[in-house]
Amino acid sequence: MTKDLSAFARERGIKYFMISFTDLFGGQRAKLVPTQAIADMQEDGAGFAGFATWLDLSPAHPDMFAIPDPSSVIQLPWKPEVAWVAADCIMEGTPVEQAPRNVLKAQIAKAAELGLNVKTGVEAEFFLVTTDGSQISDPADTAEKPCYDQQAVMRRYDVIAEICDYMLELGWGAYQNDHEDANGQFEMNWEFDDALKTADKHSFFKFMVKSIAEKHGLRATFMPKPFPGLTGNGCHCHVSVWDNDGANAFADNDMPFGLSAKGKHFLGGIMKHASAMAVITNPTVNSYKRINAPRTMSGATWAPNTVTWTGNNRTHMVRVPGPGRFELRLPDGATNPYLLQAVIIAAGLDGMATNADPGPHYDIDMYKEGHSIKDAPRLPLNLLDALREMGSNEELQLAMGKEFSSAYLKLKQTEWNSYVSHFSRWERENTLDI
């Protein structure tokens, strides 16, 4: 594990460091610091005006400092003279409680107090589009069922292979790449890891994919639903919990689905808080065009709209594909890498503390027979509904931290207000002649 960033720079020939943090809206913020200054930055941090980013701070607040975490440092494979390093935000010597990486670290500490370590893996889907974002980048990618399309993935080989080569070089354990269910859409997978490491990798992955796409004259987007009629960008998250002895605390082959009592209660917390979690797992106005989408061109949205769980069945919000883990299929491409992990842990730990029951499982095809389930909660229909769900969920707010919850809900409400004050083309087309 790297301790001295100056020594790391000397060994690798690094000229600059990107000291990076992620704000509440998932925006990646950084300062480019010459290696000659990194020793001071490692001790004192790089200074930022927090108000200038999406944090609930004012221009009158003192400087916020981003302290680089040397264990996260990554030399850019496509620009080796630069290294990226995730940072923790402090103000006047105290952690900024609303800063997403700090929020996640607080949840990891709570799990550690119980002798538990949460491990996760993400499936971050993205589209490769034209530089103006108006259409997919490959005009030949027109199949009605394009998922796993061999020709289409090879037409984007230069981009996909370059990214995968870099993940292999970084030791992430990349193991598969595919064309996804929408035209122009791709997914790349790497091995699961401790929640903080997964969040750092997820954050860097988005930066890397966008950078390599730009290098090839394209644009990558993780927008939840960039095109009507096509499957949206999900960010499915696989979750397991391990004890101090390295044993999977979720695994019990004598229990249904191979899920232990702890695992079942953790899942119960996810089910209990799902509608409120949505404001974090699905954080934009556009998000609700994915989870409440009509049938797509391929025949299925692959996104949930109801709070249900199942075994190995992809039409539900939670899938238990095998012993000792489950897959949360709710999150989308806009989710904040750090807050995603934090809210899963917060909800799950609350479920364990309250012995939450996930309720009955269903084996049906939710896309065809979902209407037959009358008592399962529906997921929020829009961002405002999600805000109200979180706003009325005192348990989850407290679990995530009151300072964070207050800041996040305030800024997201402002975002919603901005959206509804926008005059759209649809309004004019449907109202002008009323």
Side-chain angles (χ1 to χ4, degrees), residues 271 274-275 291-292 303-309 315-318 328-330 362 364 366-367 369-381:
M271 303 299 288
S275 294
I291 63 173
N292 291 297
N305 58 26
T306 307
V307 183
T308 57
W309 72 281
T315 65
H316 294 256
M317 188 190 79
V318 175
L328 179 63
R329 299 178 60 81
L330 178 59
Y362 298 95
I364 64 173
M366 284 297 291
Y367 299 145
E369 303 171 71
H371 62 277
S372 67
I373 301 176
K374 304 299 184 183
D375 55 351
R378 292 275 298 184
L379 288 165
L381 291 174

Side-chain angles (χ1 to χ4, degrees), residues 118-121 237-241 250 266 324-327 344:
V118 181
K119 293 180 179 286
T120 58
C237 190
H238 294 260
V239 183
S240 59
V241 174
F250 275 11
F266 194 103
R325 66 184 174 96
F326 65 81
E327 177 191 32
I344 288 172

Side-chain angles (χ1 to χ4, degrees), residues 43-108:
E43 183 175 348
D44 300 324
F48 291 83
F51 173 74
T53 74
W54 287 115
L55 294 170
D56 184 26
L57 299 171
S58 78
H61 273 92
D63 285 347
M64 182 178 75
F65 289 91
I67 308 294
D69 179 350
S71 69
S72 69
V73 68
I74 298 174
Q75 186 173 12
L76 302 193
W78 67 95
K79 194 176 286 293
E81 65 190 40
V82 180
W84 175 95
V85 58
D88 298 318
C89 298
I90 66 168
M91 185 177 291
E92 297 187 320
T94 302
V96 178
E97 292 184 18
Q98 62 178 282
R101 199 169 190 264
N102 291 342
V103 175
L104 173 54
K105 291 177 76 172
Q107 296 302 322
I108 291 170

